[in-house]
Amino acid sequence: MAEFTTRICCLGAGYVGGPTMTVIAKMCPDVKVTVCDLSERRIAAWNSKNLPIYEPGLQEIVEAVRGKNLFFTTDIDAAVKESDIIFVSVNTPTKKAGIGAGQAADLQYWELAGRHIASIAEGPKIIVEKSTVPVKTAAAMARVLESNSAHAFQVLSNPEFLAEGTAIDDLLKPDRVLVGGEQTPEGIAAIEKLANIYRRWVPTERVLTTNLWSAELSKLTANAFLAQRISSINSISALCEATGAD
């Protein structure tokens, strides 16, 4: 059996979790990476030649490392128990009912993931917030973990900045990697542990460390700027149509 220096698992085998874990496995051969999902059909696809998502370069990397230090499974409990670092990359859809319906993020899957981790963890873990979530979600997750487990957890924010069609290049050559956590000795140690994973292939000056709220807000700000750019382009397009400008 291979000796791994670190064990990572990711809850959620979707567009963010799958490619991110695949690249980590490729660039860190001494790190065991396990991607978990409740969907047997999705996991079966990840273990086949027909991956559930398409990104240029993804298929080749998966086939190169799958079964060596990259694994896809529905056995969430086993993966959580053995892992040092747990990425949570579950869906955060828009709420359909209640306060904030149609606008706010529905965090029920994120909270359920936290409760499940707390119920089965057999020791301290680093929990990494990978989904796009509101500011203070990590703090809420920390409270859920503390309320349901006697073990110590550190919750980090590590937002993704991927674009469809270039996700693998974005992961292999990112313009920045952001890791945020509590500014305590334990929190800073957790930040450094995750940051050092990325520093295996990302230049140190591009791996930025900060506090939790700054990391969470950075992702929301990036999304807001993108929406504003699209809105402005659409407005200019409408103006061109009305005036005959080219």
Side-chain angles (χ1 to χ4, degrees):
M1 182 180 291
E3 289 296 326
F4 297 108
T5 59
T6 305
R7 287 172 169 78
I8 294 174
C9 82
C10 177
L11 306 185
Y15 180 81
V16 174
T20 301
M21 295 301 107
T22 296
V23 169
I24 290 177
K26 170 183 169 60
M27 305 309 293
C28 306
D30 60 321
V31 174
K32 181 180 180 181
V33 181
T34 305
V35 184
C36 313
D37 203 284
L38 291 172
S39 172
E40 293 183 1
R41 183 176 181 180
R42 178 174 292 178
I43 291 300
W46 278 109
N47 281 318
S48 73
K49 292 184 179 180
N50 299 307
L51 303 185
I53 63 173
Y54 174 76
E55 277 292 330
L58 177 61
Q59 182 85 37
E60 293 81 0
I61 298 177
V62 168
E63 292 181 354
V65 295
R66 187 173 57 200
K68 296 178 182 177
N69 69 322
L70 175 65
F71 305 90
F72 298 93
T73 181
T74 56
D75 191 350
I76 296 173
D77 290 11
V80 168
K81 287 178 181 178
E82 75 166 9
S83 294
D84 310 301
I85 302 173
I86 302 170
F87 284 77
V88 180
S89 184
V90 298
N91 288 335
T92 52
T94 303
K95 290 182 69 174
K96 295 181 179 179
I99 298 174
Q103 296 179 322
D106 185 346
L107 301 178
Q108 62 172 315
Y109 301 116
W110 175 257
E111 182 177 345
L112 287 171
R115 292 184 184 279
H116 192 67
I117 292 169
S119 70
I120 61 176
E122 297 177 340
K125 308 284 183 183
I126 297 173
I127 312 300
V128 183
E129 175 186 86
K130 202 65 179 173
S131 307
T132 300
V133 292
V135 175
K136 292 191 177 183
T137 299
M141 170 64 89
R143 290 195 296 270
V144 169
L145 293 166
E146 290 169 5
S147 300
N148 292 276
S149 176
H151 300 297
F153 296 93
Q154 289 297 323
V155 182
L156 306 180
S157 176
N158 175 218
E160 53 83 15
F161 300 99
L162 307 180
E164 287 191 37
T166 61
I168 298 302
D169 280 344
D170 293 340
L171 288 162
L172 289 172
K173 296 177 287 186
D175 57 7
R176 81 279 200 198
V177 172
L178 189 59
V179 181
E182 291 288 347
Q183 299 302 291
T184 62
E186 298 81 6
I188 292 171
I191 291 171
E192 284 302 304
K193 183 164 186 174
L194 179 57
N196 285 335
I197 294 289
Y198 287 109
R199 289 181 181 125
R200 300 280 196 93
W201 76 94
V202 181
T204 298
E205 64 272 14
R206 295 187 183 181
V207 181
L208 311 177
T209 60
T210 183
N211 60 43
L212 274 174
W213 291 10
S214 296
E216 291 176 327
L217 187 58
S218 293
K219 171 60 177 175
L220 299 177
T221 302
N223 287 357
F225 278 142
L226 177 60
Q228 289 171 349
R229 287 170 61 190
I230 294 172
S231 178
S232 295
I233 290 170
N234 287 339
S235 297
I236 293 170
S237 176
L239 182 61
C240 289
E241 291 287 343
T243 62
D246 185 3

